[in-house]
């Protein structure tokens, strides 16, 4: 039966879109499992307009707190060698970082 979720959030998601035509990413999508995201992951997904969704998903069981997410995104994800190569030197973000709680079940 569907209803209102009453349990507290168990994970955290964050993402930013990168403008199409400003990056070097050639794949449709890639999942990364860097240590700082475990047991979650980071992801790059190409959209129909060549924009890229660059996100990170922190699942239950890890040490990440919501107040740490922006710092992890900027200091770890954005300096990851694969992400840096995929974005290239001239990428442009289309929006600010967005963070949301995840309820899993």
């Amino acid at each position: 039966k569907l209803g209102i979720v009453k349990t507290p959030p168990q994970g955290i998601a964050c993402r930013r879109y990168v403008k199409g035509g400003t990056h070097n990413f050639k794949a449709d999508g890639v999942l990364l499992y860097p240590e700082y995201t475990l047991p979650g992951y980071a992801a790059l997904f190409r959209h129909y307009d060549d924009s890229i969704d660059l996100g990170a998903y922190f699942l239950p069981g890890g040490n990440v707190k919501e107040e740490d997410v922006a710092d992890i995104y900027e200091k770890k994800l954005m300096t990851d060698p694969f992400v840096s190569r995929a974005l290239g030197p001239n990428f442009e973000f289309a929006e600010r970082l967005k963070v949301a709680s995840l309820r899993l079940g």
Side-chain angles (χ1 to χ4, degrees), residues 34-45:
E35 188 175 324
Y36 58 86
T37 65
L38 295 177
Y41 59 94
L44 293 101
F45 294 115

Side-chain angles (χ1 to χ4, degrees), residues 46-51:
R46 177 190 305 279
H47 290 265
Y48 72 95
D49 61 355
D50 193 46
S51 64

Side-chain angles (χ1 to χ4, degrees), residues 29-91:
V30 173
L31 294 178
L32 306 170
Y33 299 93
E35 188 175 324
Y36 58 86
T37 65
L38 295 177
Y41 59 94
L44 293 101
F45 294 115
R46 177 190 305 279
H47 290 265
Y48 72 95
D49 61 355
D50 193 46
S51 64
I52 300 297
D53 174 354
L54 175 58
Y57 305 88
F58 305 100
L59 304 178
N63 295 321
V64 175
K65 294 177 179 55
E66 190 169 355
E67 58 269 16
D68 300 330
V69 169
D71 200 46
I72 290 170
Y73 194 96
E74 291 299 325
K75 292 183 179 170
K76 293 188 177 184
L77 184 61
M78 293 304 300
T79 61
D80 180 280
F82 178 82
V83 172
S84 295
R85 279 194 313 274
L87 294 180
N90 301 313
F91 76 92

